[in-house]
Amino acid sequence: MHSTHILQPLDVGLFGPLQRHYTNALDDWAQNGNTGIHKGTFFPLLMQARTFTHTPKNILSAFKATGIYPLNP
């Protein structure tokens, strides 16, 4: 068994959902007829996705899901 997945709560609980929220924001942006992406587009869409993902509840859930906090050996 690999321990990488268990020891990386941010990968488990934050970066996967962040990717999904960013993809959804990008899809919505593109469906409005926008094309191309640049710094002026990337960062606002990323921050929108981050707002939905990086919440205290999600962060604590990520650590709980991996058994790190509260400690669950």
Side-chain angles (χ1 to χ4, degrees):
M1 180 172 150
H2 297 283
S3 63
T4 304
H5 184 72
I6 294 169
L7 296 176
Q8 296 182 358
L10 299 179
D11 286 346
V12 173
L14 294 178
F15 296 128
L18 177 64
Q19 181 180 3
R20 284 193 304 280
H21 284 290
Y22 179 74
T23 299
N24 292 340
L26 189 58
D27 287 345
D28 291 343
W29 181 81
Q31 286 179 1
N32 288 326
N34 298 302
T35 58
I37 189 129
H38 50 82
K39 286 188 280 188
T41 306
F42 172 77
F43 288 110
L45 292 175
L46 180 64
M47 294 311 291
Q48 177 186 349
R50 193 172 173 262
T51 299
F52 289 117
T53 308
H54 293 170
T55 63
K57 179 182 175 186
N58 286 353
I59 293 167
L60 290 173
S61 294
F63 279 87
K64 185 175 180 181
T66 57
I68 293 175
Y69 181 84
L71 184 61
N72 183 6

